[in-house]
Amino acid sequence: MDEPIIEGLDPPPPAPTGLNILVCIKQVPDSAQIRVHPVTNTIMRQGVPTIINPYDLFALEEAMRLRDEYGGQVTVLCMGPPMAEDALRRALGLGADRAVLITDRRFAGSDTLATSFALATALGKIAEERAIDIVFTGKQTIDGDTAQVGPGIARRMGLNQLTYVSAIDSLDMGRRSIVVRRRSEGGVQVLRSALPCLITMLEDSNVVRRGSIQDMLRAARAPVTIWSAEEAGVEDPLKCGLRGSPTVVKRVFAPSPREESAEMVTVEGKDPARIGEAIIDLIFARDPKLEVALTATAS
Amino acid sequence: MSEHFDAIVVGAGPSGNACAYTMAKAGMNVLQIDRGEYPGSKNVQGAILYSDALERIIPDFRDSAPLERHVSELRFWMLSETSNTSASHRNDGFEDGKPDRYTILRAPFDKWFSKKVREAGAVLITETTVVDLVKNDKGKVIGVLTDREGGPIYADVVVLAEGVNGVVGQRAKLRPELKPQHVALAVKETHFFPEEVIRERFNLQGEDDGVVIEVLGSVTSGMVGTAFLYTNKESISIGVGCLLADFAKTKIPPYELLDRFKRHPAVVPLLRGGEMKEYVAHLIPEGGYDAIPNLTGDGWVIVGDAGQFVNAVHREGSNLAMTTGRLAGECLAELKAQGLAPTNDNLKLFRDRLGESFVMKDMKKYRKVPHLLEKNRQLFATYPRAINQVMQAYFRVDGMDKRSKEGIALRNVAKARGGWWSVATDLVKVARAWR
Ligand SMILES: Cc1cc2nc3c(=O)[nH]c(=O)nc-3n(C[C@H](O)[C@H](O)[C@H](O)COP(=O)(O)OP(=O)(O)OC[C@H]3O[C@@H](n4cnc5c(N)ncnc54)[C@H](O)[C@@H]3O)c2cc1C
């Protein structure tokens, strides 16, 4: 969309100093409102609103916090259809400084491999202007749930990857290092990494801000940079879109709702053993086959 | 730094979009603010779109607007608890292939309209609620305050296109609070079906033609109101609306009323097997001409539902919203071009144009209808039932001769209203309100 540029209201020129932070966001269908066609079992997208992948918002907020503290610029980057511009404009309204959309028919049908290839290539192109300090992504997307794109980008760009980060403890601009907390299966790891690095943020790691009225006005008018595959620096079309995607979807189906439903049982009494027995009796009365099977294995 | 705009439009429904579009096209610097996540995200309508009002704003809208079906058939149902007497009108001969009405879904439609508004040059911000108007010491409106940080935003004029229950106008004391007898509460569900099913069930002929059914009678349980059922591409919109005051009196929950309608034998087969996906409730202004507030003041204008512009008899609302929005936009642009400030005096231009338009003429024509209905609820319960009884008796073949049947049928109508005199008065009242 060509917004009239009004004099004196241009977006601030890119800051030459401070952090150069990139946040990769994805526009996804609001999964709470998706319908499955009752007859064909395909996903009906008509009328389903799109949103910024909710996990990406935590990444964006964390990026803006670093910018507000250390100075610099936050650029949001998105690969998607032309309408994904809406998502970028929303990110600008939340306070991002600049937005880049890479959109091309050749990107259609990308799986996580092809997506991380395209994004990493575009990031490389952006880094030609000025070196990138941190790339942020959300933990995963709500429509794919793979959590592979962030690490894929890090690998291709040769960045340290800090995944599942719940907090950023400190950043040392002089030494160019960052300390983060990372949720791991056993507990929390405190990790120090050199910059540049890639961080995937966990949900609820911060509270996403509401932009000011000026942020909103700026977002409504700011030009979104739109790049085709070629402009984004993609040279090998075989690595893009469907052709660059080894993932094959074999079948899409709506899980049939389960027949049985939960039931609340109430048992009176104080003696735990008695109560336990009474509950087991109730269950066996419901499902005699279970009793047969269990007693068979027990004996 | 606080910005100054030529105009701020509060609301991105049909009236706000029509107004913002018209002004932006005329070269004005327009800011539009809507509280929804995106324009239309919370807006509710049946929904029938009347072509004429939109055609006067965007002549080639058919090329890009998300239209569901063009309406080629109107059906009117009069229901009693178990029976249905109906009439219908079908027309397949549209002039130059340009149907005069379509069914739409408001969310995608409003989004489309809003895109046109932005392409025309207006600046839109969403997820932002206008909380109050800013006035100068002379009481002239000079801007708005929102729920975001960053202070007020200023403009020469503020257009209130905030819908029926927008609170800005009320808070700034520009329009009175809504009265329960002046608004209807409508509830609506959307049921999804494969396209073929819809086409078969409603006898649709072409790819995109559709049917709308307007319903009167027992479904409203004696309350002043109507029900409807519209066909979309892959869904059916079904709803019922009655005066808020009547809901309050009968204590019937609105969803219960809709459920009863859905269980009516005339409706059951049409909804079978669908998937219900959306339940919404919304108010409709139905106070008519006498409920229209002051529409202009120094630095402000009211358009659309906020000004009570709904013709309940003909179920027209969005077209009045678009027309009032367009007229306000045109007048504000003309004033600006002439270097005249949008004061109440100068806005006489808008009041006059509105008075000459079909909008005010229709509002005036049906001026007495709200009062009539409020005091004559029998029109909604007694007559539909009586008519169904007459039909039943008349068409039953039971050995009685036809003349005797006619006599009984007529006597039944009279009995339902307690005598011919009441029937005659009802007729006179309706005729008067209609005139
Ligand atoms: C169930 C139902 C069925 C209907 N069927 C039909 C039909 O078939 N045909 C027809 O022509 N009409 C129909 N109508 C009427 C029609 O929907 C309305 O007349 C029309 O939507 C009015 O448009 P509007 O722009 O004035 O208000 P709205 O469409 O209500 O838009 C108001 C906008 O203002 C925004 N807003 C409000 N307050 C604020 C604030 N403080 N700050 C920021 N934004 C704000 C809201 O978010 C909203 O987007 C129906 C209505 C209902 C409820």
Side-chain angles (χ1 to χ4, degrees), chain B residues 39-337:
Chain B
S41 58
K42 295 206 177 61
N43 293 345
V44 178
Q45 192 177 326
I48 298 173
L49 170 80
Y50 302 96
S51 309
D52 175 72
L54 182 54
E55 221 161 10
R56 286 170 199 266
I57 302 163
I58 304 177
D60 57 355
F61 77 92
R62 293 183 179 83
D63 297 343
S64 57
L67 306 169
E68 292 285 310
R69 295 179 178 279
H70 68 258
V71 180
S72 49
E73 190 173 327
L74 305 170
R75 296 182 192 164
F76 304 94
W77 286 2
M78 223 178 284
L79 299 186
S80 78
E81 282 74 6
T82 51
S83 55
N84 177 11
T85 304
S86 63
S88 69
H89 167 74
R90 190 178 169 93
N91 173 23
D92 288 296
F94 299 107
E95 288 163 42
D96 10 310
K98 287 184 172 172
D100 85 314
R101 64 189 68 182
Y102 296 86
T103 53
I104 53 165
L105 301 172
R106 271 294 290 273
F109 176 81
D110 282 15
K111 239 185 180 173
W112 166 85
F113 202 170
S114 170
K115 190 158 171 263
K116 291 283 173 197
V117 173
R118 280 172 289 154
E119 282 167 4
V123 175
L124 166 75
I125 61 180
T126 52
E127 291 181 278
T128 306
T129 304
V130 171
V131 292
D132 213 343
L133 297 176
V134 185
K135 295 181 182 171
N136 69 8
D137 48 9
K138 294 199 189 78
K140 180 188 180 309
V141 171
I142 53 168
V144 301
L145 258 182
T146 72
D147 62 342
R148 287 184 185 270
E149 282 178 14
I153 324 174
Y154 298 106
D156 292 343
V157 64
V158 176
V159 179
L160 291 173
E162 55 178 350
V164 56
N165 52 341
V167 295
V168 181
Q170 287 169 31
R171 197 168 289 158
K173 305 217 163 32
L174 305 185
R175 59 189 191 113
E177 274 189 35
L178 288 176
K179 298 196 184 69
Q181 67 272 26
H182 287 169
V183 279
L185 173 65
V187 289
K188 187 188 104 171
E189 287 179 359
T190 315
H191 291 246
F192 283 83
F193 299 87
E195 233 181 299
E196 316 81 71
V197 173
I198 294 188
R199 229 177 290 154
E200 248 164 59
R201 269 184 205 176
F202 291 86
N203 281 329
L204 304 183
Q205 326 256 312
E207 272 288 297
D208 308 311
D209 75 332
V211 167
V212 306
I213 306 175
E214 309 284 1
V215 187
L216 208 69
S218 65
V219 279
T220 57
S221 292
M223 296 188 265
V224 174
T226 55
F228 61 86
L229 198 153
Y230 299 161
T231 55
N232 306 314
K233 265 238 138 62
E234 293 194 314
S235 60
I236 290 173
S237 301
I238 180 167
V240 56
C242 296
L243 286 187
L244 197 57
D246 285 9
F247 274 123
K249 211 179 307 157
T250 59
K251 304 225 160 43
I252 301 176
Y255 59 85
E256 166 79 35
L257 201 65
L258 181 54
D259 264 358
R260 280 189 216 165
F261 180 39
K262 281 159 54 188
R263 286 199 303 266
H264 193 280
V267 175
V268 169
L270 297 177
L271 287 187
R272 192 170 289 139
E275 193 191 358
M276 201 273 272
K277 262 298 176 189
E278 191 184 63
Y279 175 86
V280 287
H282 205 277
L283 296 177
I284 306 178
E286 296 202 347
Y289 184 82
D290 289 325
I292 298 175
N294 281 337
L295 297 172
T296 59
D298 288 339
W300 58 270
V301 180
I302 292 178
V303 294
D305 272 12
Q308 292 267 341
F309 288 107
V310 164
N311 180 340
V313 174
H314 290 264
R315 307 196 52 78
E316 294 176 23
S318 62
N319 56 331
L320 307 190
M322 286 183 207
T323 306
T324 52
R326 172 177 62 84
L327 290 175
E330 285 170 1
C331 293
L332 289 168
E334 277 174 42
L335 290 181
K336 167 122 184 115

Side-chain angles (χ1 to χ4, degrees), chain A residues 67-258:
Chain A
R67 171 201 65 191
D68 294 346
E69 194 170 341
Y70 301 98
Q73 193 185 39
V74 172
T75 305
V76 277
L77 170 67
C78 177
M79 181 186 85
M83 71 167 192
E85 190 182 326
D86 291 349
L88 288 169
R89 227 167 259 289
R90 277 205 72 203
L92 290 170
L94 291 169
D97 302 290
R98 204 169 68 130
V100 180
L101 172 66
I102 58 172
T103 184
D104 202 304
R105 279 169 174 271
R106 276 178 283 176
F107 291 145
S110 294
D111 68 359
T112 54
L113 191 76
T115 303
S116 55
F117 168 75
L119 287 174
T121 310
L123 287 165
K125 174 94 181 177
I126 291 168
E128 284 173 13
E129 279 168 34
R130 202 176 139 228
I132 295 172
D133 298 302
I134 307 174
V135 176
F136 275 99
T137 72
K139 178 184 81 169
Q140 64 196 47
T141 54
I142 55 164
D143 62 342
D145 275 348
T146 65
Q148 292 169 351
V149 172
I153 294 170
R155 180 75 185 82
R156 288 174 193 280
M157 298 183 72
L159 302 173
N160 284 350
Q161 52 170 302
L162 305 166
T163 50
Y164 303 108
V165 169
S166 59
I168 293 177
D169 281 355
S170 65
L171 186 147
D172 189 329
M173 293 284 275
R175 290 218 186 107
R176 295 190 49 76
S177 70
I178 192 166
V179 178
V180 303
R181 280 166 195 263
R182 173 178 193 267
R183 177 111 33 99
S184 68
E185 269 164 38
V188 175
Q189 302 172 332
V190 179
L191 302 173
R192 181 195 304 276
S193 162
L195 296 181
C197 67
L198 179 136
I199 298 175
T200 81
M201 286 307 289
L202 269 187
E203 65 275 25
D204 301 328
S205 46
N206 53 43
V207 179
V208 184
R209 73 187 62 187
R210 212 159 176 263
S212 70
I213 199 85
Q214 284 75 21
D215 285 327
M216 294 300 286
L217 287 172
R218 191 173 47 78
R221 297 164 168 149
V224 167
T225 306
I226 298 180
W227 283 344
S228 64
E230 200 180 318
E231 286 163 328
V234 175
E235 276 161 11
D236 187 354
L238 287 178
K239 287 189 178 166
C240 292
L242 213 49
R243 283 195 283 180
S245 299
T247 310
V248 178
V249 178
K250 283 197 128 168
R251 191 160 74 95
V252 178
F253 62 97
S256 45
R258 286 212 258 166

